[in-house]
Amino acid sequence: AQKITQTQPGMFVQEKEAVTLDCTYDTSDQSYGLFWYKQPSSGEMIFLIYQGSYDEQNATEGRYSLNFQKARKSANLVISASQLGDSAMYFCAMRATNTGNQFYFGTGTSLTVIP
Amino acid sequence: EAGVAQSPRYKIIEKRQSVAFWCNPISGHATLYWYQQILGQGPKLLIQFQNNGVVDDSQLPKDRFSAERLKGVDSTLKIQPAKLEDSAVYLCASGSIAGGAYNEQFFGPGTRLTVL
C-alpha cells in the first residue's frame, strides 16, 4: 500500500527566510513520482514541483526545491526566500505507476509567513 | 489554455437531499479524478476515469455516491441522499496519460458542500 506522511501540521517562517516542509512516503513500487501542491485559502490546488523516482538530481523550480533522499524515502520541500504569499497549505503526493496512477496525498502542512 | 472548470462553487443543502456537481476537464485530458477533501485533511480520491471508463472507484461510497463521464469529456458527481459527514470540498482534476510516472494533475477550483 502507498502512504504519504507529513508530520508538521503547522509551520511558521520569517519573511525572506528559507523553510523545509517534511514528507516521507512508503511504497514497494520502483517507479513512482512525488509531487508538491500548494493550496491557498481560495481552495485551488496549485502544482509546485515534481520528482521522479529515477531522477538522480533534486528537482528545482524557482524558489522551490525538493530534497529527495530515496533510501530514507523522504521528499522534503524547501522554499527559499519566503514571501507573504507563500502562506498556504502544502500537500505532498505520490503516484505509482503500478497502482493505476492513483495519487495519494498527505494530510498537509499549514505554512504561515510572518512579516 | 482553459483550466478545469467546476460548478457550482458553493452548495448548501439539508441532509437527505440530493446534489450534483459538474466538472469540465482541460481539453484533451483523458484522465479525470474526483476527490473529497474534508476540512483539515488531504484530498481523498473518490473515483478515477480514463476516457469514459472507470479506473478506480474503490473509495466511492456507492450506496449514495455516483459519478459518470458518458462522452469521455465532462463529468458529474452525485450524492443521494446527502449526510452531514459529506460536508467537504469536492475537487475535480484532470491529466493526460502520456509521461509515465510524471503525470501532473490540474485541479479545478472545487465545490464547497455544506450539509445541514
Side-chain angles (χ1 to χ4, degrees):
Chain A
Q2 328 295 334
K3 186 177 180 181
I4 293 283
T5 303
Q6 294 180 255
T7 57
Q8 305 156 314
M11 291 282 287
F12 292 86
V13 64
Q14 203 75 38
E15 192 178 6
K16 300 180 184 177
E17 297 292 315
V19 63
T20 298
L21 306 184
D22 295 341
C23 173
T24 59
Y25 60 93
D26 188 20
T27 181
S28 57
D29 291 328
Q30 297 302 309
S31 177
Y32 53 89
L34 297 157
F35 302 76
W36 277 93
Y37 285 86
K38 173 184 178 181
Q39 188 177 43
S41 56
S42 59
E44 190 164 354
M45 299 283 279
I46 302 168
F47 167 74
L48 295 178
I49 196 167
Y50 162 83
Q51 179 85 41
S53 59
Y54 294 118
D55 294 342
E56 295 184 352
Q57 292 192 336
N58 288 341
T60 59
E61 288 287 347
R63 295 186 299 111
Y64 304 108
S65 60
L66 200 153
N67 184 1
F68 182 46
Q69 299 187 43
K70 193 170 182 177
R72 298 179 61 184
K73 294 189 174 179
S74 74
N76 299 338
L77 176 71
V78 180
I79 305 174
S80 62
S82 297
Q83 301 172 357
L84 296 178
D86 294 335
S87 294
M89 284 292 291
Y90 289 81
F91 290 95
C92 180
M94 178 176 65
R95 174 181 188 166
T97 53
N98 291 334
T99 53
N101 292 322
Q102 182 183 139
F103 275 76
Y104 296 86
F105 283 85
T107 52
T109 295
S110 175
L111 177 67
T112 301
V113 180
I114 303 168
Chain B
E1 178 182 87
V4 177
Q6 287 188 250
S7 67
R9 291 295 311 277
Y10 304 91
K11 190 74 177 179
I12 301 174
I13 61 172
E14 295 188 349
K15 60 183 179 182
R16 291 187 289 273
Q17 286 187 322
S18 301
V19 65
F21 312 128
W22 174 81
C23 173
N24 192 25
I26 292 173
S27 177
H29 279 185
T31 309
L32 186 147
Y33 309 80
W34 282 103
Y35 290 89
Q36 180 192 59
Q37 187 178 20
I38 293 173
L39 186 64
Q41 299 181 16
K44 182 185 83 170
L45 180 70
L46 293 176
I47 189 167
Q48 177 183 343
F49 293 95
Q50 185 163 313
N51 297 310
N52 60 349
V54 175
V55 174
D56 187 340
D57 63 356
S58 57
Q59 297 191 89
L60 186 74
K62 298 180 185 64
D63 58 334
R64 298 184 300 106
F65 286 65
S66 64
E68 60 183 13
R69 192 186 185 199
L70 293 177
K71 297 181 179 179
V73 181
D74 56 348
S75 174
T76 56
L77 176 70
K78 297 179 182 178
I79 307 175
Q80 181 180 8
K83 293 185 176 181
L84 296 176
E85 58 261 33
D86 298 333
S87 293
V89 175
Y90 291 84
L91 294 165
C92 179
S94 70
S96 68
I97 59 175
Y102 175 63
N103 190 350
E104 176 190 343
Q105 290 182 105
F106 295 85
F107 283 83
T111 296
R112 186 178 299 274
L113 174 67
T114 302
V115 182
L116 303 176

